[in-house]
Amino acid sequence: MTTVWPELPYAAWRDTQATLQLWTQIVGKIRLTRTPWLNHSWHVTLYVTSRGLTTSPIPHDGRTFEIEFDFLAQQLIINVSDGGTRKIPLRRRTVADFYAEVMTSLQQLNVPVTIKELPCEIPNAIRFGEDRQHDAYDAEQALRLWQALVQIDRVFKQFRTGFVGKASPVHFFWGSFDLAVTRFSGRRAPKFTGTAPGLDATVMQEAYSHEVSSAGFWPGGGGIDYAAFYSYAYPTPPQFKSHPVKVGTFNNQLGEFLLPYDEVRTAADPDAMLLAFLQSTYEAAAETAGWDRNGLECPLGQPTAVRT
């Protein structure tokens, strides 16, 4: 097992990704159903851990439970605050079978949850309980994704420390299957008019209620057939795409800057390249939209160094 930036060839693992995305949606919708709404849907996300991806504690009638994808042990682990636990093997199986076992396990642990079975942000989606089409799972490829996320999560969190304004956590959105971090100017944004399959328009409008510069990582898909980092602004200033950045290029079709993961992975200093992409694309958004950079920015944080 490697602990450095692993290879992530999209063609080799796209079938596993399709299945794993649906599995994460099942788990994410469980959190969504039981967690009070938080601005910009921050209450629904998963978080990178030292073993995989977790929901964090979910409230349930005076108790809490947590669900974690453990990619080292290749198990889905459900832990309840009263001591109950279940472990479900991560192996090749249909989405329908995985869904049934997760729901049965929750019942057995006395934390029953009912979710909407239609996946989000996936065209022509199949209800979880009826999906016997997606059944691919390569444990090695899933492990590689998590290993990449460990590195990316670490750099994203360092980048987040350079901002004193409102900023999101570094979190994994299971709908779009990406790790993301977002900065806010503090100003309201025009009403969002975009749509996504399986999402109510009001959810999208609330997510983009305020002006943002958002960056993230896709492991492939969503309009590109390779793993890549992205950065976009909403609303998009007219000069955003032509603003100079240190690394990456603007993709006109997607309307955002992209930097292939392989360029970062093979760089002499992957951290420095990724930070250069994050910072310079943020600056493109902040400069062209007229953000109060002096009031919102600060030096990157250092361990034990108190802000002064």
Side-chain angles (χ1 to χ4, degrees):
M1 185 185 71
T2 179
T3 56
V4 296
W5 299 75
E7 294 184 25
L8 276 179
Y10 180 61
W13 94 289
R14 63 189 305 167
D15 293 339
T16 292
Q17 176 178 322
T19 300
L20 185 57
Q21 180 174 7
L22 292 164
W23 290 358
T24 62
Q25 291 217 10
I26 292 167
V27 171
K29 279 175 173 268
I30 291 168
R31 185 182 184 205
L32 165 64
T33 299
R34 297 295 310 180
T35 307
W37 198 278
L38 185 61
N39 49 283
H40 318 297
S41 296
W42 293 353
H43 63 298
V44 310
T45 58
L46 305 180
Y47 309 99
V48 177
T49 73
S50 296
R51 300 189 68 89
L53 289 167
T54 186
T55 58
S56 74
I58 301 169
H60 197 292
D61 298 338
R63 294 173 293 156
T64 64
F65 67 98
E66 184 170 0
I67 307 176
E68 180 176 20
F69 287 89
D70 183 336
F71 294 117
L72 290 175
Q74 290 298 326
Q75 295 176 329
L76 184 80
I77 302 174
I78 307 173
N79 285 317
V80 187
S81 58
D82 61 11
T85 188
R86 289 291 187 279
K87 296 180 179 179
I88 300 171
L90 298 178
R91 55 175 174 79
R92 181 168 183 172
R93 63 169 71 197
T94 66
V95 170
D97 289 345
F98 180 84
Y99 171 71
E101 187 164 358
V102 170
M103 291 301 161
T104 297
S105 296
L106 293 175
Q107 287 278 357
Q108 293 170 343
L109 292 167
N110 295 315
V111 285
V113 177
T114 300
I115 66 174
K116 293 183 179 179
E117 288 191 39
L118 190 66
C120 298
E121 301 187 59
I122 297 177
N124 305 311
I126 307 168
R127 290 168 62 88
F128 300 131
E130 301 170 0
D131 189 348
R132 300 195 174 279
Q133 174 180 327
H134 296 95
D135 65 352
Y137 187 75
D138 183 321
E140 175 62 26
Q141 297 295 343
L143 181 67
R144 285 173 178 268
L145 170 66
W146 165 71
Q147 290 170 335
L149 291 176
V150 167
Q151 302 301 326
I152 297 162
D153 180 73
R154 175 179 56 78
V155 178
F156 279 12
K157 285 176 177 174
Q158 183 181 7
F159 171 67
R160 185 173 183 259
T161 66
F163 198 75
V164 295
K166 175 181 170 181
S168 78
V170 178
H171 44 199
F172 190 87
F173 280 101
W174 39 264
S176 46
F177 207 65
D178 60 330
L179 190 71
V181 61
T182 302
R183 293 178 170 185
F184 294 77
S185 71
R187 301 187 295 238
R188 297 283 304 190
K191 185 176 180 180
F192 188 79
T193 58
T195 60
L199 279 184
D200 190 278
T202 57
V203 174
M204 300 292 287
Q205 290 162 10
E206 193 272 341
Y208 290 102
S209 61
H210 289 71
E211 189 175 37
V212 301
S213 170
S214 189
F217 168 75
W218 281 316
I224 53 175
D225 59 359
Y226 55 92
F229 298 96
Y230 66 81
S231 181
Y232 66 87
Y234 180 78
T236 307
Q239 301 304 315
F240 176 62
K241 68 178 183 179
S242 58
H243 194 281
V245 295
K246 291 184 178 179
V247 288
T249 58
F250 192 83
N251 183 294
N252 285 297
Q253 181 179 357
L254 297 178
E256 51 200 52
F257 287 98
L258 295 181
L259 174 63
Y261 169 79
D262 274 348
E263 290 190 22
V264 174
R265 180 182 68 81
T266 58
D269 188 341
D271 288 25
M273 176 177 281
L274 180 51
L275 283 170
F277 174 76
L278 297 172
Q279 181 63 29
S280 62
T281 56
Y282 155 72
E283 289 174 358
E287 285 295 316
T288 58
W291 287 30
D292 176 18
R293 294 189 59 190
N294 288 334
L296 294 171
E297 298 173 23
C298 63
L300 293 178
Q302 299 296 328
T304 75
V306 180
R307 294 285 188 204
T308 57

